[in-house]
Amino acid sequence: MRFTNRTGPTYGAGEYIGEVGTQRLASMLGLQSLPSTPLLPAVLTGNPDGTNYAVGGYRTDQILDSITLDSTVSAGGSTRTRPGYLVENPRVDSNALYYLNGGGNDIFQLGTNPVTMADAAGNLVAGVAALQAAGARYIIVSDLPDVGITPLGATAGPGGAATLNFLSDQFNAALAEQLQAQGGNYVLVNNRLLLAEVRADLAAFGFDPNVAQTAVCFDPSSSTSPCLPDPTYSLGGTAPDPNRLLFNDAVHPTTAVHQISADYLYSIISAPWEVSLLPEMGRSALRAHLQQLDNELSARRGDWQAVGAWRTFVQGGYNRPEYDGYGGGDGSGLSLSLGVTQRLSETWLAGVSLGLAENSLELGRNDSEYDMRSYLATAFARYEHQRLFADFSLSAGYLDYHDLKRTFALGISERTEKGDTEGTLWGAAAKAGFNLMQPGDQLQFGPFVGASYQKVEVDGYSEQGERSTALSYDDQELDSLRLSLGLFGDYALSERTRLFGEVAREVEREDEDRRDLRMSLNSVSGNSFELPGAVPTGDQTRFSVGLTHRLTPGLALRANYHYRGNDNRDHGVGLSLAWDL
């Protein structure tokens, strides 16, 4: 059974009962959710057992039993007892997501089952502890909404509603305190504040603001929790529509509220998939900067200025990184670089390049947008002697992350949380190659090997305000060590025009594992947690091709294209002009 409204069109017996929040969250995560509670006997549902142990009417002590002892459910005249989750699974999947929600029935059943709110909260905390001891790393625990601000509370009168809300206060305070004392990795979500925000702006979420939403419900004759009807939107009204009401019965929400709850949970889970790409934005900017510099040096093979002479160049480029994963993401970057080189000797060339770039990233189910401005500087040197060449570079940069807009759905509404931060980066790279052809031949061709180390640090930041969905993030750090093996080529189309390029396989030796990101909800004090971030870029194949044309003896124009990719890809084009001073 699911205590929410049927899906229509008549909302009568025999029609499918809508999915609750966790089922909708499962669908958003790409997981299968069976159409009925798998704890029930198979003869009633036709479904195999699953890992959903939610049972209508369960108190927190029964929830704890369903984790560590036994779970019992009765339906259709049949009763079944099933071993608890940890009885069947002594060691759990550490990459799975666990969700615990309870406390309301402890309040509703106080008359027949007296319990303190501290003890009720302690049962949930004990369940969290048992799951953690069995290996669970990602556990979401729900707080308790104000149970007095419900149709049940409305019928209890002002004093009764106040008592119900006081008990909710006690439960939530004990839950937060005990979870904090116990420690471990858990997410205490603020459903209480979320629903208060919905009630404060009913129309934005599709609910009728002219209806006394906390006094009426969709199914007034519910066998579990009867309540007062709304003359328009309730069953039997002039235009039945559960999406216009908060409650299906006296205490349980409609599927519209369940969708808001699912979106809320998804916004927290998906936040690190997005925000953990901020270091990747910095690395992408540095790679584009170094790629343009590499193209400049490749275009100069055999075409250096005189010893002691200077040459300057200006480069413009556009790159488009693409990220795979939940929701996907596309970035873009416009860059401008100014550089200067001096020929130190017959075999050595050295220089400096300064770069400025505007980078953006759009990703997620609701097209979150993240902008970054990068300021980069690279000192470099190139060695050429007969068939051998080698490149060396040192880079540093400042990253200005501005207009960070994490956007997500909340039911039919959409919300954006904003923030700003900054970061730094530095890198070192070396490459050496050998020309298999004779110097001066029309075709130059050979192998090369390379290594690069890049470090990106992004300062932690907080999204603005203390809404239920606003988050804070810890510092992030990305370390990447990549080794490459490839081939380069250079073909003279004429005395003034040459075609050049290279292809290589890059292997990652440092940034190989998915990174967890430590976060916290701004509205929940004392609870920080880690959730999985984006999948690292990993090994990639890259190639580039370019064309250089000498306009005059001291002036050359170059154009190039590069590609780097696996599941995450990066395309880029560039144009540069170089002239002797």
Side-chain angles (χ1 to χ4, degrees), residues 462-479:
S462 295
E463 294 169 338
Q464 300 167 5
E466 294 190 358
R467 293 192 296 189
S468 61
T469 50
L471 292 164
S472 293
Y473 311 93
D474 274 15
D475 296 347
Q476 297 186 69
E477 184 176 294
L478 182 155
D479 290 278

Side-chain angles (χ1 to χ4, degrees), residues 25-240:
L25 174 63
S27 178
M28 296 165 74
L29 295 173
L31 305 173
Q32 181 184 13
S33 175
L34 295 173
S36 58
T37 305
L39 180 61
L40 294 175
V43 67
L44 295 179
T45 69
N47 294 322
D49 284 342
T51 57
N52 173 14
Y53 286 74
V55 175
Y58 259 14
R59 303 179 307 271
T60 55
D61 59 315
Q62 294 169 303
I63 294 172
L64 178 58
D65 287 346
S66 70
I67 297 173
T68 59
L69 297 175
D70 294 313
S71 182
T72 300
V73 64
S74 298
S78 175
T79 298
R80 180 189 177 195
T81 297
R82 179 183 175 187
Y85 178 68
L86 292 181
V87 177
E88 294 184 333
N89 306 276
R91 295 302 300 172
V92 305
D93 183 354
S94 61
N95 292 317
L97 179 65
Y98 300 85
Y99 178 78
L100 280 74
N101 186 343
N105 288 316
D106 292 79
I107 295 176
F108 299 145
Q109 298 177 32
L110 273 177
T112 58
N113 190 75
V115 64
T116 68
M117 291 299 98
D119 288 341
N123 291 327
L124 280 192
V125 175
V128 171
L131 289 169
Q132 290 174 336
R137 292 190 297 165
Y138 308 117
I139 304 173
I140 294 178
V141 186
S142 175
D143 68 344
L144 192 60
D146 291 312
V147 295
I149 308 179
T150 60
L152 176 65
T155 60
T163 299
L164 292 173
N165 287 338
F166 173 72
L167 293 171
S168 298
D169 289 341
Q170 286 191 316
F171 179 87
N172 286 334
L175 181 64
E177 181 181 355
Q178 294 180 37
L179 283 171
Q180 187 175 356
Q182 177 174 281
N185 194 47
Y186 65 91
V187 184
L188 178 58
V189 296
N190 202 340
N191 273 312
R192 187 184 201 181
L193 178 57
L194 172 69
L195 295 179
E197 292 166 355
V198 172
R199 291 195 301 268
D201 194 3
L202 291 167
F205 295 93
F207 305 109
D208 192 331
N210 299 312
V211 171
Q213 291 286 351
T214 58
V216 300
C217 71
F218 177 70
D219 187 0
S221 60
S222 170
S223 60
T224 57
S225 301
C227 63
L228 297 175
D230 176 74
T232 303
Y233 301 116
S234 293
L235 273 175
T238 57

